[in-house]
Amino acid sequence: MNYTRRGVANKQKALNSKSGKLGKKLSLWVIKAMLIGIVGIGIIGVSAGLGAYKGILASTPQIDLDDVAPVGEVTFVYDVNGNKIDELVAANSNRIFVTMDQIPEDMANAIVAIEDERFYEHNGIDFKGLLRAGYQFLKTMGGETQGASTITQQLLKNTIFTDWTSEGNNIIKKVKRKLQEQYLAIELTKYMEKDEILERYMNTINLGQNTLGVEAAAQRYFGKSVSDLTLSECATIAVITQNPSKWNPISHPDNNAERRGRCLENMLDQGFITQAEYDEAMADDVYSRIERHNIVFLESSSTSSYFVDALTYDVKQDLLAAGYSESNVENLLYAGGLRIMSTYDPDIQAIVDSAVANPENYPERTRWLLSYALTITGKDGTQTNYSQEMMVKYFKENVDKNFDLLFDTQDDALAAVEQYKAALMVEGDDFTESLNMTIQPQVSVYIMDQHTGYVAAMAGGRGAKEGRLTLNRATDAYRQPGSTFKILAAYVPALDRANQSLATGYNDAPFYYNEGIPVNNWYDTGYKGLVNIRYAIEQSMNIIAVKTLTVVSPQQGYDYLKNFGFSKVTDSKVVGNQIYSDIQQATALGGITTGVSNEELTAAYAAIANGGEYIKPKLYTKVLNSDGDVILDNTEYDSRRVIQETTSFLLTNAMEGVIKQGTGTRTRFDNMSIAGKTGTTSDNKDVWFAGYSPYYTCVTWVGYDNNEKMVDKGSGRETNTAKDLWKDIMSQIHENLDYAEFPIPEGIVEMTICTRSGKLPQPGVCDAHLGTEYFTENSVPTEMCDVHYVGAVCPYDHTIASPTCPFQYQGSCEVIPIEPEALHQGSTIPIEQPDGSIIYQLPKTTNNCQHDATFFTDPNYEAILQGQQWEMQQWAIQAQIQAQQQAMQQQIVQ
C-alpha cells in the first residue's frame, strides 16, 4: 500500500469518483441478475420436470385388475373318452392357464429367486435393484446393464404395455413406459396379493418354443403337467423367460444349464431349498429327457388328423351361425382357450389308420402323382413361371402324348422334372420350384354311428399328411357316386312312394335313354330277361335301375336326393354354354353334374340304417369357453324322416343279399349282420362301398386324384380296393361287439308269391317258382301271376302258340308282361331308313309265336323240323311232369 500523502490523496479521489461508483453498481447488478436467472432456471426446470412427470402419469393407461391377466390361450380337442387329442393354437396364444394351487412351490420359488429376490418385500418397485443397476451402468460407462424390473412390472409389460418391443432405441419412449410401469406397479400392489400377481405372471411369460406360461412350457419340454415337475425341471423352465432364445433348453442347452445352476444357487442362498435338494437337482440329467420328448413332440405335432381338420371347419361354421363375427371365430378357435368335446373314437380311428396304411389292402401297382411348378430367373433378373399344365403340354407335344403326371416310381418323377428343367433353362439361369408327390390310387373312409350321428373316425387320404387343413377326401372331394345312387335315386322312391316292392319285375332287355343313347349293363353276358328289384339290387343291374327311375320319374328321385342331404345335386347348372340338370335318367346310375362327398354318402346310407331317420353327422358334442361355459351345444339331434321305416327295412334286407350272394360278397364277414351296396362308375374312375351293421355305417372310396381309370382285371385289379378296405375295417370294429340283426318294423308282411311275377301264384302253375318275400302293408300283391301261361304253346320259340302254329301243343310257358307306358320310349329300337334317317319302333310286344303255313317253305325246314321234334318231346315230358304235380297238389288239398 502507498501511504504517502500523494497515495492517500489518489485513493480518496478514486473513492469519490462518480465513474467508479457506477461501475461497481453495474457489476453488482449483473451478479444479482445471474443469481436470479440461475434460480429461475432451476425453478423452471424443476417445474417442467414435475409437469412432465405429471403428464406421463396422466397419460398412464387406465386399467382394471382384470386387464392385468394373460390374453390368448390354446384350444384343446378331446376324444369321446375325454382324452386330449390335439391343440389349436395361434402365435402368442399357446397358453394353458393354471391356478396357484396347481403350480408347485419349487416353480414359484425358482422364478422369484432368479427374477426378483425381494418380490415379497417391496411395494412393486425394487429401489435397491434400481441403485444396483444404476451403479453397474456408471461403473461400466454404459457397457453393461442389469435388469431392475420387478415381477410386478414385468407382468404389466406383458399384459398392458404389450407394444414395448416397438420402442427400439427411442430413449424417451422407454423412460415414459418405465415411469408408467413403476407407477402402476405401486398401485397394483395396493389392490392385489403377491401370490395373485405371481400366478398371473407365471401364466403370461414367454418360455420359448412358442409357449406362454409354465403349464404350456411343462408340456412342451417334458410332456407333463407343471404340477408334476421336479425341482430340477422347475429351475430349467424358470430361467428361460429373461431371454427365451438364449436360454432355450432345446436349442441352447449349455446356456440354460449355466443359468439353471445360478437359479438353484439363488434358491439355496435364499433358503428356498436345502443343500441336499440342491445337490440332487444339479446332478439331474434333465436335458436328455428334454431331447427325447422333443423328438416325440415333433413327430406328432407337425400335422393334425383329418378328423380334427373337419372338426375345426364344423365348429367354425357353427360359431358363425351362432352370431360370432369372422374375426371373433378365428380368435376363439386359435387363441380363445376353447375346450372342444369331439365324437372321435381313438380305437376305431386306430383301426382305420392301420387298414389305410396296410399295403395288403392295395394291388401291387403303386403309382405317384406329381404336382409341380417352376419359376426360372434369368441373368437379367426376369422371372418366368411354368405351371403344372404347361409341363403336361410340353411332355405331350415332345415326349409322350399320353403323359399324365403319373409315375411308377418317385425316381421316374424326379427324372421327368430334371428333363423338363433341362429343356427350359440356359446357362446362368436360377430357379425355384414347388414339387410334391402323392401316392395313388387315393382313398377316403368315413364312419358314423347312425343312431346318434356321431362320427367315430375318418381318413381323408392315404400316405403322409403334410400339414394342417390339407385336402380331406372324406369331406372336401366330390366324386361321382356310381351305383351307390341306384338305391338312393331309384329304388328308394320306388319302394317309398310308388307302391313298388322288392318283387316288382322289370325286363332286362335293350333300353335307351330319352335322348336315344343305349343304357349298358356292366356285365357283358347279354341280358337277363325278367328280374325283380331284389335281384337287380343284388346284381347292381343298370337297365333295371334306369327303368325304375323312369317309372317313378327323375323328379321324384331328385327330390329324395336333396332330402338325403346331397348339397351339390342340382336342377340347373350352367357350365360353359350348356345347362346341366340332375333331374334325368342317368342319375339312377350316379351320373350327376358335380358329385358327392364321402361324408354326404355316409349320412345318406346311415339314414337307411337308422330306420329312415336322417341325422346330420356330428363331430363334436359341446364346445366350452376357457371359463367352462358351454357356447355350442350339439347334443340335440338334428334329424328328419326321409323315408318310411318299412322302406328302410326292405332296402336293408335286399342289401344284405348284395353281401351274401351279390356284387359285394368280397366284403362278407360272419360275426355280424351287414348290408351294403357296391358303387362303380362306368369308366372305373370312382369305386365305392357303402355299407352298415346294426352299429355303424361306413363308406369307403378309392380313385385317382387326377381321375385316371382304375385297373379292373388281373393281379393289379384296383377296383376291389374299396371293398377290401371296408371289410378290413368293419370286421375289426365288430370283433368284440354282440351279434345283432336288423329289426323288422311294424307294417312289414311276409308272404308266398310267384318269384317270377312278384304276384300271387297260380295254383299248380307257379309251383316251381314259389318263394317268400317281404312287403309293406300297402304293397302286398293282390293280382294273380301273369307271367306263367297254360294252354297252346309253341315249342319252337317257347311262347304262346298262334292259331296257325303247326307245332302247338297243350303246355305252359313264361311270357313277358307289357311294361308300363313310361318305358315304351326307351324300349324302342332305332331302325335306319334307306335315306339315312332313323326311326324308332317298339319291339314285338305280343307273346304269340308267328308261325303259319309259310314256315314249311323255309329252305331249312327239314333241319328245323328235326330240332323241333326233339324240343317237342322235351316239352311233352315237362307237361307230363307238371300234370302229375298238379294231381298230387289236388290230392293234398282234398
Side-chain angles (χ1 to χ4, degrees):
M1 290 292 293
N2 185 359
Y3 290 105
T4 62
R5 180 176 294 185
R6 181 174 292 181
V8 173
N10 290 336
K11 186 67 176 178
Q12 289 178 341
K13 186 178 180 179
L15 290 171
N16 295 323
S17 172
K18 292 182 178 181
S19 60
K21 291 180 179 181
L22 289 173
K24 291 178 180 178
K25 289 181 179 181
L26 181 60
S27 298
L28 184 60
W29 182 84
V30 170
I31 292 170
K32 288 182 179 180
M34 290 176 64
L35 290 173
I36 293 172
I38 291 171
V39 173
I41 291 172
I43 294 172
I44 292 172
V46 172
S47 299
L50 290 173
Y53 181 69
K54 289 182 177 180
I56 290 173
L57 295 185
S59 64
T60 300
Q62 298 295 313
I63 65 170
D64 188 89
L65 291 182
D66 290 338
D67 297 330
V68 190
V71 177
E73 188 174 344
V74 63
T75 289
F76 286 129
V77 180
Y78 298 91
D79 66 19
V80 70
N81 301 318
N83 300 313
K84 187 184 77 171
I85 59 172
D86 206 348
E87 301 174 0
L88 305 179
V89 57
N92 301 321
S93 298
N94 190 12
R95 175 184 291 107
I96 307 166
F97 191 89
V98 284
T99 56
M100 200 67 178
D101 60 337
Q102 297 172 295
I103 301 173
E105 189 176 357
D106 285 336
M107 177 63 79
N109 292 339
I111 286 177
V112 169
I114 196 68
E115 291 294 322
D116 188 357
E117 61 180 300
R118 285 176 289 276
F119 171 71
Y120 289 106
E121 301 170 7
H122 59 64
N123 64 348
I125 301 176
D126 184 5
F127 290 102
K128 289 184 179 180
L130 286 172
L131 292 174
R132 184 197 69 247
Y135 172 76
Q136 186 66 24
F137 181 82
L138 294 174
K139 179 181 177 182
T140 60
M141 301 299 292
E144 181 181 333
T145 60
Q146 290 186 355
S149 293
T150 63
I151 285 175
T152 311
Q153 289 176 259
Q154 292 179 52
L155 173 61
L156 289 164
K157 183 172 70 173
N158 291 334
T159 56
I160 305 300
F161 301 99
T162 54
D163 60 347
W164 63 271
T165 55
S166 63
E167 292 171 353
N169 295 320
N170 191 318
I171 300 299
I172 295 177
K173 287 185 177 181
K174 286 185 177 181
V175 170
K176 178 181 178 181
R177 192 249 308 161
K178 279 289 185 183
L179 290 173
Q180 291 177 338
E181 268 183 18
Q182 292 170 355
Y183 169 74
L184 287 178
I186 294 172
E187 292 298 308
L188 190 64
T189 305
K190 295 178 182 177
Y191 299 101
M192 192 177 290
E193 296 291 334
K194 288 287 187 177
D195 279 352
E196 188 176 357
I197 293 173
L198 187 57
E199 175 190 285
R200 296 192 183 192
Y201 174 76
M202 288 189 289
N203 279 288
T204 62
I205 50 178
N206 182 351
L207 292 168
Q209 298 297 132
N210 190 34
T211 63
L212 299 174
V214 293
E215 176 66 15
Q219 295 192 16
R220 175 61 183 87
Y221 294 116
F222 298 104
K224 56 185 176 181
S225 175
V226 65
S227 61
D228 298 324
L229 295 183
T230 65
L231 168 62
S232 172
E233 293 165 345
C234 287
T236 302
I237 290 176
V239 303
I240 299 173
T241 185
Q242 190 182 84
N243 191 327
S245 176
K246 182 178 180 180
W247 310 120
N248 188 307
I250 293 176
S251 57
H252 298 93
D254 293 340
N255 292 348
N256 182 276
E258 178 185 351
R259 185 166 170 80
R260 170 174 161 273
R262 193 185 316 157
C263 175
L264 290 169
E265 289 177 3
N266 289 358
M267 294 180 75
L268 179 62
D269 293 341
Q270 296 169 29
F272 288 128
I273 58 176
T274 65
Q275 183 66 50
E277 290 172 325
Y278 170 83
D279 294 339
E280 181 182 358
M282 288 297 295
D284 180 30
D285 184 14
V286 66
Y287 300 100
S288 62
R289 295 200 300 278
I290 292 176
E291 183 179 2
R292 287 195 299 271
H293 177 70
N294 188 51
I295 294 173
V296 175
F297 177 85
L298 293 176
E299 289 177 347
S300 62
S301 65
S302 58
T303 63
S304 64
S305 67
Y306 289 107
F307 186 101
V308 173
D309 284 355
L311 169 67
T312 303
Y313 176 82
D314 282 5
V315 171
K316 180 177 180 179
Q317 296 305 308
D318 289 348
L319 286 171
L320 289 170
Y324 293 89
S325 67
E326 184 79 29
S327 59
N328 283 342
V329 168
E330 289 295 321
N331 184 63
L332 278 172
L333 271 176
Y334 296 101
L338 300 182
R339 302 296 182 261
I340 303 175
M341 307 303 169
S342 81
T343 59
Y344 177 97
D345 188 314
D347 296 329
I348 295 179
Q349 185 66 57
I351 291 172
V352 170
D353 292 342
S354 176
V356 169
N358 185 0
E360 295 182 2
N361 286 325
Y362 303 93
E364 295 179 359
R365 186 180 76 155
T366 294
R367 307 180 73 187
W368 297 89
L369 179 64
L370 174 67
S371 175
Y372 186 73
L374 175 69
T375 298
I376 296 178
T377 304
K379 291 181 180 180
D380 59 355
T382 302
Q383 290 188 335
T384 306
N385 297 318
Y386 296 90
S387 66
Q388 180 171 287
E389 291 73 21
M390 296 170 72
M391 181 180 185
V392 173
K393 181 181 179 182
Y394 167 82
F395 273 91
K396 283 189 173 182
E397 292 177 351
N398 298 282
V399 182
D400 179 3
K401 65 179 181 180
N402 296 317
F403 183 80
D404 57 5
L405 293 171
L406 280 170
F407 299 89
D408 291 334
T409 68
Q410 290 178 296
D411 288 341
D412 291 344
L414 294 175
V417 168
E418 292 304 316
Q419 181 181 354
Y420 184 52
K421 288 192 293 188
L424 297 177
M425 296 176 64
V426 298
E427 186 176 352
D429 283 351
D430 196 6
F431 72 93
T432 57
E433 61 185 350
S434 172
L435 187 155
N436 185 55
M437 282 181 273
T438 309
I439 194 169
Q440 301 292 324
Q442 269 296 329
V443 304
S444 72
V445 182
Y446 202 93
I447 302 176
M448 64 182 285
D449 179 338
Q450 61 260 21
H451 306 295
T452 62
Y454 290 177
V455 179
M458 73 175 71
R462 168 191 180 199
K465 190 173 184 292
E466 299 296 337
R468 290 181 179 269
L469 301 179
T470 56
L471 173 63
N472 189 339
R473 296 169 186 82
T475 58
D476 303 333
Y478 285 79
R479 307 287 298 218
Q480 293 299 312
S483 298
T484 61
F485 255 35
K486 292 174 182 175
I487 298 292
L488 303 170
Y491 300 127
V492 158
L495 301 182
D496 199 58
R497 185 174 294 185
N499 211 34
Q500 296 189 29
S501 70
L502 293 177
T504 299
Y506 286 94
N507 187 21
D508 182 32
F511 190 72
Y512 299 82
Y513 293 112
N514 292 341
E515 299 81 9
I517 301 171
V519 181
N520 297 315
N521 279 323
W522 61 267
Y523 44 85
D524 54 6
T525 55
Y527 302 95
K528 298 181 182 295
L530 186 63
V531 298
N532 56 34
I533 286 179
R534 175 183 286 278
Y535 183 79
I537 290 174
E538 290 177 358
Q539 301 303 319
S540 194
M541 300 175 70
N542 292 351
I543 289 175
I544 306 305
V546 174
K547 281 188 171 183
T548 303
L549 180 59
T550 303
V551 170
V552 301
S553 86
Q555 180 67 56
Q556 289 281 0
Y558 171 82
D559 292 342
Y560 272 94
L561 291 175
K562 293 298 288 186
N563 203 25
F564 271 120
F566 292 104
S567 61
K568 294 190 181 295
V569 292
T570 179
D571 57 357
S572 178
K573 181 177 181 179
V574 178
V575 180
N577 296 323
Q578 289 186 294
I579 299 176
Y580 293 88
S581 171
D582 295 326
I583 306 176
Q584 39 105 23
Q585 292 166 293
T587 298
L589 307 183
I592 57 178
T593 305
T594 301
V596 303
S597 70
N598 192 326
E599 179 179 43
E600 290 178 342
L601 194 60
T602 305
Y605 270 80
I608 301 174
N610 191 38
E613 194 80 11
Y614 176 93
I615 301 178
K616 183 180 178 181
K618 298 179 182 182
L619 279 79
Y620 72 93
T621 55
K622 291 182 180 180
V623 176
L624 290 71
N625 62 19
S626 57
D627 294 327
D629 301 321
V630 176
I631 61 173
L632 288 178
D633 189 340
N634 201 29
T635 55
E636 294 295 325
Y637 289 152
D638 182 4
S639 64
R640 61 179 179 273
R641 177 156 294 282
V642 291
I643 58 175
Q644 300 174 59
E645 189 176 10
T646 51
T647 303
S648 72
F649 169 77
L650 293 177
L651 291 169
T652 296
N653 191 256
M655 285 190 283
E656 285 186 272
V658 171
I659 293 174
K660 291 176 181 177
Q661 61 263 352
T663 56
T665 56
R666 195 179 181 96
T667 64
R668 184 173 182 175
F669 56 91
D670 296 329
N671 61 323
M672 188 61 59
S673 297
I674 50 177
K677 182 67 187 72
T678 52
T680 306
T681 56
S682 58
D683 50 12
N684 291 328
K685 291 182 179 180
D686 296 281
V687 178
W688 304 79
F689 191 81
Y692 50 88
S693 72
Y695 293 95
Y696 293 103
T697 301
C698 173
V699 174
T700 54
W701 166 86
V702 178
Y704 281 81
D705 284 339
N706 65 338
N707 285 315
E708 181 81 1
K709 292 183 179 180
M710 282 182 286
V711 177
D712 192 31
K713 59 184 177 180
S715 61
R717 186 173 185 178
E718 297 169 325
T719 51
N720 281 332
T721 305
K723 289 180 277 192
D724 293 343
L725 270 177
W726 192 92
K727 178 180 179 180
D728 189 9
I729 292 168
M730 289 291 274
S731 62
Q732 291 186 68
I733 290 174
H734 292 83
E735 277 182 356
N736 298 315
L737 295 178
D738 293 335
Y739 176 82
E741 295 184 349
F742 297 106
I744 302 177
E746 292 185 6
I748 290 293
V749 177
E750 186 177 13
M751 64 182 301
T752 300
I753 58 167
C754 170
T755 57
R756 297 294 288 161
S757 66
K759 298 180 180 180
L760 297 175
Q762 297 186 56
V765 177
C766 302
D767 294 356
H769 301 283
L770 296 178
T772 59
E773 184 58 272
Y774 290 110
F775 298 88
T776 65
E777 293 175 343
N778 295 329
S779 65
V780 170
T782 58
E783 298 178 349
M784 299 298 292
C785 169
D786 56 358
V787 169
H788 292 108
Y789 163 80
V790 177
V793 175
C794 173
Y796 178 69
D797 52 12
H798 310 303
T799 60
I800 301 172
S802 65
T804 59
C805 177
F807 308 114
Q808 60 180 287
Y809 76 101
Q810 292 299 307
S812 64
C813 65
E814 284 191 359
V815 298
I816 304 297
I818 297 176
E819 293 186 307
E821 186 177 349
L823 301 179
H824 288 181
Q825 178 179 349
S827 298
T828 56
I829 300 173
I831 301 176
E832 186 174 359
Q833 301 300 297
D835 62 357
S837 62
I838 301 292
I839 65 171
Y840 295 90
Q841 176 179 313
L842 275 171
K844 178 175 71 72
T845 56
T846 177
N847 284 291
N848 293 74
C849 77
Q850 302 299 304
H851 302 150
D852 54 25
T854 61
F855 178 82
F856 296 96
T857 65
D858 191 314
N860 299 315
Y861 165 71
E862 293 294 338
I864 295 173
L865 182 60
Q866 290 179 6
Q868 293 309 310
Q869 287 175 342
W870 179 86
E871 288 198 24
M872 289 174 65
Q873 293 175 1
Q874 300 303 311
W875 276 86
I877 294 172
Q878 292 182 17
Q880 184 178 2
I881 294 173
Q882 287 181 359
Q884 292 175 350
Q885 290 176 341
Q886 292 175 12
M888 291 176 62
Q889 185 69 29
Q890 289 176 355
Q891 291 177 1
I892 293 173
V893 172
Q894 292 173 356

